[in-house]
Amino acid sequence: MTTLFWIIALLLILGAAAYLRVSLVTATLVTAATLIIGNLIGVVGVWAWVVFFIIALPLNMTPFRQNFITRPLLKLYRGIMPEMSSTEKDAIEAGTTWWEADLFAGSPNWHKLHNYPKARLSAEEQAFLDGPVEEVCAMVNQHQISHERADLPPEIWNYLKDKGFFAMIIKKKFGGMEFSAYAQSRVLQKLAGISSELASTVGVPNSLGPGELLQHYGTEEQQDYYLPRLACGEEIPCFALTSPEAGSDAGSIPDYGIVCKGHWEGETVLGMKLTWNKRYITLAPVATVLGLAFKLRDPEHLLGEQEEIGITCALIPTDVPGVETGRRHFPLNCMFQNGPTRGKDVFVPLSFIIGGPDMAGQGWRMLVECLSVGRGITLPSNSAGGVKTLAMATGAYARIRRQFKLPIGKLEGIEEPMARIGGNAYLMDAVTALTTTGIDLGEKPSVISAIVKYHLTDRMQKCLIDSMDIHGGKGICLGPNNYLGRAYQAAPIAITVEGANILTRSMIIYGQGAIRCHPYILAEMEAAFDENHHRGLRQFDAALFGHIGFSLSNFVRSLWLGLTSSRFSNAPYGDSTKRYYQQMNRFSANLALLSDLAMATLGGGLKRKERISARLGDMLSQLYLASATLKRYQDDGRLTEDLPLVQWAVEDALYKLQSSLDELLDNFPAGLGGVLRVILFPFGRPLKRPSDKLDHKIARILQTPCASRERLGKGQFLRASVNNPVGIQEQTLRDIISAEPLYDKVCKAAGKRFPFMYLDKLAAEGKALGVLSDDEVALLEKAEQGRLKSINVDDFAPQELVAQTINTDDKSEQAA
């Protein structure tokens, strides 16, 4: 029995060493000390020491280990793992890893998360939001843009140029505003809440495009010429990457350039003939300068020995002979400028390459590095802003609209989708704040940008569907009073652009995340294909045995956290959020363990198992979304009145994570799913979706003016201006709530219960009964006007719905 206890003690000690991730030397010394104690109490014999030395000495003798253990494993590894292509290598190496790497590593450092600075606006940035952004929102007539003009009106185009909306990313020395990523996000959120066309028009020049690329890679001459012109709106940029044959697989673009000599401005110069056919290019119909991605070839070796130079980016004025700006696309009634651009054998000097001739062939790296920043700001911010405004509008409508003699928001069937909208609004705002914090700290988070692009656009689309269900007929009848229909139509656009969501989920998030975020995989890959074989062996040895220790640690952590339901793991706070941190500790360890097992069983074939990759990516993604939510709660001062929103967002994210993990185990390779289920879920699935009680609390927040509701819609355009039906409805919500006690007073005086309608007539009744003052009568009359405007829908003369073309010479006013 003593021997059994000693064996159990030894296993526990070794398990603790693995859990704590001590070094190999430390683990060896701890094991030796345990054996010595066993000797002293008479339970360890000579054979235990023999086994110990057989295992411990080879592992701790580096030259022996490298030559007799690591070398054959390295040979096997090279046979299993295919060497990365240059484009794959560029994509993997581009950008940086940040908080997502901690989540992937199986042991998140929560103090590190909460020590990241809170996202803040400078005084200049806040003034821009309160001034020009507020004013341009008030100028927008969405029905006019989407139905009558098929474009922003000239006065808005001019206002955007004059007030610097296209200059947010451009440095001040070039005439720009040099705003933080967080400020850009807040601007786009506000614009997106009022008009997707407005947000797209402003977002693209401040995202992936000529401005971003010029600032990072442009020559001094290119920067001095173009950046001031872009900043003042004298130049309108677009960037042409997508071709009919190359969408999400942008690396396969067929567009090409041939290095050759030609005539330019009366001289013979070294240049290139460009041929391209691009589609879906935002701002292309009105652009004056075209950023172009193409594959450059040098068949005559005019630049050097290399014939296939590779993907290159150039800046082409659209008035260069041969550049053909196509007609407009018509993307789901969302009237932002979007269309094709073409050119055949267009000759331009090599100096048109962004960064000059030295940057020829470097375009793919340029694109993936800059894309990680732009993709982390524009579409996620547009989605978050849209859902924040949607939450305010839907909550107000549900409180104003009555059926069955009570506000529809009090019906449990309505509370459920309303809770999804409110919880997602809180989560999505939190995610954009954390992501832009990383960007402002200098990160280029390629994995995070893929996570937030996919998940926020996906959640935005689902929230729009929920809101449409709640609004019913109000949502489907388009017109000046419909704030929902055009956004509902346009939602799939965000799903498809900057990497289609299906492929982003199934290939990009985990495809990059597994290699970039894993502490050892990339080092192993680089060492395995190092041309210096001695150095490669040494580095592979260090990475391999680090990896083995990492895997053992995550196995022990997953086992222990599963058996204890993670109740003894670390959490930075002991309040009602404690269990969330502990559950995330558990799932982080599970993710790390399952990643290693998936890679071990599938090897290089894992990237072809897209549904396995997608579910592993879901786990990483939901951990990031949940941690961003907890970070926001901390940054906001841990306000208990916001706790229902926090709880719903985190519980929804973790429940989705658990569902993906469950599906992964059902389909895990090599038949390991059943065994892993016993280890990871020894007592069954631990989490449930958000409760009905929680849904009720969030629905109540959305329908009741309060501090939590104000924070949920903070920064959005909610002014009750003439063309802003959401703002008018916000005012009506306050009027209706103020009118309810007056309604009760009149009913009591009259001795009967009136229906809550015809409030103007009710006001007259109350005045006749002598129970209402003139001010109270006016309030009821105003509330009735707002109520009718909120619940009624627009109608039109038949001829008004016939598409017509505005006769104008202004290119920006062409009607679709």
Side-chain angles (χ1 to χ4, degrees):
M1 185 63 71
T2 304
T3 302
L4 177 61
F5 283 140
W6 180 86
I7 292 173
I8 293 173
L10 177 62
L11 291 175
L12 289 174
I13 290 169
L14 291 175
Y19 186 96
L20 297 172
R21 297 183 175 176
V22 303
S23 68
L24 176 60
V25 172
T26 302
T28 303
L29 293 175
V30 168
T31 305
T34 307
L35 290 173
I36 291 171
I37 294 171
N39 262 139
L40 294 175
I41 62 176
V43 296
V44 172
V46 66
W47 285 109
W49 283 103
V50 169
V51 172
F52 170 74
F53 284 118
I54 289 174
I55 296 173
L57 288 179
L59 291 180
N60 285 277
M61 296 170 60
T62 304
F64 180 90
R65 184 183 70 220
Q66 290 179 358
N67 285 294
F68 293 99
I69 300 176
T70 305
R71 191 181 297 277
L73 290 175
L74 175 57
K75 184 177 179 180
L76 177 65
Y77 185 91
R78 285 173 174 156
I80 295 173
M81 294 296 292
E83 190 169 2
M84 285 189 292
S85 67
S86 59
T87 54
E88 286 179 317
K89 189 173 182 181
D90 284 345
I92 292 296
E93 293 179 351
T96 60
T97 57
W98 189 51
W99 172 243
E100 77 278 23
D102 286 69
L103 295 171
F104 197 98
S107 182
N109 182 342
W110 300 115
H111 293 291
K112 178 180 178 180
L113 171 69
H114 290 308
N115 283 334
Y116 291 133
K118 178 182 178 180
R120 299 180 187 277
L121 296 170
S122 69
E124 180 185 7
E125 292 166 343
Q126 186 65 61
F128 186 73
L129 276 160
D130 295 339
V133 179
E134 183 84 2
E135 289 309 307
V136 80
C137 287
M139 295 168 68
V140 170
N141 181 329
Q142 183 59 33
H143 180 69
Q144 180 191 70
I145 292 169
S146 59
H147 181 68
E148 297 171 4
R149 285 190 171 274
D151 191 10
L152 301 175
E155 59 269 22
I156 290 183
W157 275 104
N158 292 332
Y159 191 86
L160 296 177
K161 295 174 183 178
D162 294 343
K163 297 299 182 180
F165 279 83
F166 299 142
M168 289 192 292
I169 65 167
I170 296 175
K171 290 180 169 52
K172 291 184 177 180
K173 67 178 182 179
F174 297 114
M177 294 192 288
E178 204 170 342
F179 277 0
S180 65
Y182 179 64
Q184 295 171 49
S185 174
R186 303 305 290 190
V187 169
L188 293 175
Q189 283 191 29
K190 193 166 189 171
L191 299 180
I194 197 73
S195 169
S196 59
E197 289 87 350
L198 185 61
S200 298
T201 300
V202 172
V204 168
N206 289 289
S207 180
L208 174 64
E212 179 81 2
L213 294 171
L214 281 170
Q215 291 201 125
H216 286 88
Y217 308 104
T219 65
E220 185 176 345
E221 182 181 4
Q222 290 170 339
Q223 291 177 344
D224 290 341
Y225 179 77
Y226 277 113
L227 290 176
R229 296 164 68 88
L230 290 168
C232 69
E234 186 176 349
E235 301 278 7
I236 298 295
C238 70
F239 193 85
L241 174 62
T242 305
S243 300
E245 296 84 2
S248 296
D249 183 15
S252 66
I253 54 175
D255 314 287
Y256 63 90
I258 304 295
V259 178
C260 61
K261 291 183 178 180
H263 296 287
W264 183 261
E265 296 182 346
E267 297 182 9
T268 300
V269 300
L270 187 60
M272 49 194 174
K273 281 188 177 180
L274 303 173
T275 297
W276 71 91
N277 179 26
K278 303 287 191 178
R279 289 290 186 274
Y280 324 121
I281 310 305
T282 300
L283 297 186
V286 295
T288 61
V289 60
L290 168 70
L292 183 68
F294 56 94
K295 289 182 177 177
L296 187 61
R297 304 169 188 161
D298 186 13
E300 298 181 31
H301 301 285
L302 297 174
L303 293 180
E305 294 301 317
Q306 193 173 1
E307 185 169 325
E308 297 291 335
I309 294 177
I311 295 176
T312 301
C313 296
L315 208 56
I316 316 295
T318 56
D319 59 1
V320 168
V323 176
E324 181 183 348
T325 298
R327 301 190 299 173
R328 287 179 62 178
H329 297 315
F330 191 22
L332 291 175
N333 272 332
C334 188
M335 297 301 181
F336 64 98
Q337 293 284 342
N338 186 275
T341 174
R342 293 178 289 270
K344 182 172 177 59
D345 294 333
V346 177
F347 181 81
V348 295
L350 286 177
S351 60
F352 279 31
I353 295 174
I354 296 176
D358 290 343
M359 293 301 291
Q362 300 300 310
W364 185 243
R365 175 176 289 275
M366 293 161 61
L367 289 172
V368 292
E369 286 184 348
C370 288
L371 181 62
S372 68
V373 174
R375 187 165 53 182
I377 299 174
T378 306
L379 284 174
S381 300
N382 290 353
S383 299
V387 173
K388 285 168 64 178
T389 295
L390 192 69
M392 305 297 280
T394 305
Y397 180 78
R399 186 67 176 79
I400 296 166
R401 175 68 165 155
R402 292 191 174 224
Q403 294 283 276
F404 310 108
K405 299 182 179 181
L406 75 164
I408 63 170
K410 292 188 177 182
L411 301 172
E412 287 194 357
I414 299 294
E415 286 184 343
E416 182 181 359
M418 200 159 19
R420 289 196 292 263
I421 296 169
N424 276 306
Y426 188 92
L427 177 145
M428 293 166 73
D429 201 12
V431 170
T432 57
L434 179 60
T435 303
T436 52
T437 293
I439 294 171
D440 285 329
L441 290 173
E443 304 292 341
K444 294 183 177 180
S446 57
V447 177
I448 286 177
S449 69
I451 289 172
V452 298
K453 187 274 171 181
Y454 164 60
H455 284 279
L456 267 60
T457 58
D458 179 70
R459 285 173 180 254
M460 174 269 295
Q461 186 182 41
K462 289 180 170 61
C463 286
L464 278 164
I465 293 171
D466 278 335
S467 186
M468 186 65 82
D469 286 348
I470 293 170
H471 282 78
K474 171 73 173 179
I476 65 172
C477 292
L478 295 174
N481 283 319
N482 188 326
Y483 45 78
L484 181 60
R486 294 299 188 185
Y488 176 81
Q489 287 180 315
I493 299 172
I495 301 299
T496 64
V497 299
E498 292 192 18
N501 272 8
I502 290 176
L503 295 184
T504 299
R505 174 178 179 256
S506 61
M507 295 177 65
I508 297 175
I509 293 175
Y510 189 75
Q512 287 188 329
I515 297 175
R516 290 305 310 274
C517 298
H518 196 289
Y520 299 104
I521 288 290
L522 185 58
E524 289 171 344
M525 295 177 69
E526 290 174 341
F529 298 104
D530 193 331
E531 294 181 358
N532 184 324
H533 293 294
H534 179 71
R535 180 179 61 198
L537 176 64
R538 186 176 66 252
Q539 293 177 345
F540 186 79
D541 177 79
L544 174 65
F545 282 90
H547 192 162
I548 292 171
F550 178 74
S551 299
L552 288 173
S553 173
N554 288 312
F555 172 80
V556 172
R557 290 180 65 82
S558 293
L559 180 63
W560 173 250
L561 294 173
L563 289 171
T564 62
S565 192
S566 63
R567 289 189 179 276
F568 304 108
S569 66
N570 68 299
Y573 299 99
D575 59 10
S576 55
T577 66
K578 177 180 179 179
R579 289 294 293 145
Y580 299 145
Y581 291 102
Q582 292 177 329
Q583 289 156 352
M584 292 168 71
N585 291 336
R586 175 180 183 174
F587 285 131
S588 176
N590 294 167
L591 170 62
L593 174 65
L594 293 172
S595 293
D596 279 337
L597 290 174
M599 286 185 275
T601 54
L602 294 172
L606 177 57
K607 67 180 180 181
R608 292 185 292 275
K609 291 290 186 180
E610 294 175 12
R611 299 183 74 173
I612 299 293
S613 294
R615 289 162 182 145
L616 288 164
D618 288 344
M619 294 178 66
L620 177 61
S621 298
Q622 300 299 346
L623 283 170
Y624 182 73
L625 302 185
S627 62
T629 303
L630 293 170
K631 166 69 170 163
R632 175 182 178 175
Y633 183 56
Q634 167 70 14
D635 288 346
D636 285 352
R638 309 189 73 78
L639 302 168
T640 55
E641 57 265 39
D642 291 353
L643 198 55
L645 294 163
V646 179
Q647 292 172 323
W648 191 98
V650 176
E651 289 176 20
D652 177 71
L654 295 185
Y655 183 80
K656 285 182 168 68
L657 187 159
Q658 178 181 257
S659 298
S660 292
L661 173 54
D662 191 45
E663 293 170 5
L664 176 62
L665 295 177
D666 283 341
N667 297 276
F668 206 82
L672 293 175
V675 175
L676 289 169
R677 188 178 294 280
V678 173
I679 295 171
L680 304 184
F681 291 150
F683 306 112
R685 292 169 36 145
L687 303 182
K688 298 179 180 179
R689 66 175 72 248
S691 66
D692 294 354
K693 186 176 181 180
L694 200 52
D695 285 356
H696 172 74
K697 290 180 180 179
I698 294 176
R700 188 169 57 188
I701 289 173
L702 262 59
Q703 297 175 78
T704 309
C706 59
S708 290
R709 189 175 187 274
E710 288 180 9
R711 281 189 289 272
L712 197 64
K714 183 179 179 181
Q716 298 310 105
F717 181 67
L718 301 173
R719 190 203 308 175
S721 59
V722 64
N723 292 321
N724 185 17
V726 172
I728 294 171
Q729 191 162 266
E730 280 291 294
Q731 180 60 54
T732 299
L733 171 65
R734 292 190 288 272
D735 292 341
I736 288 291
I737 290 175
S738 298
E740 286 177 344
L742 305 181
Y743 162 81
D744 291 334
K745 186 190 296 187
V746 175
C747 290
K748 182 178 180 181
K752 63 178 179 178
R753 201 75 179 167
F754 296 101
F756 196 84
M757 59 179 68
Y758 309 124
L759 299 181
D760 50 345
K761 296 179 180 179
L762 186 79
E765 179 80 11
K767 187 170 184 179
L769 291 170
V771 296
L772 294 180
S773 68
D774 289 343
D775 287 344
E776 291 172 331
V777 168
L779 174 60
L780 279 172
E781 291 173 343
K782 181 185 175 188
E784 178 64 10
Q785 291 176 359
R787 189 185 73 85
L788 292 176
K789 189 173 183 63
S790 179
I791 67 175
N792 285 334
V793 298
D794 298 292
D795 53 72
F796 303 88
Q799 191 59 31
E800 291 182 82
L801 300 179
V802 177
Q804 301 177 27
T805 300
I806 299 174
N807 294 318
T808 177
D809 294 329
D810 191 333
K811 188 178 183 181
S812 69
E813 289 190 38
Q814 295 174 1

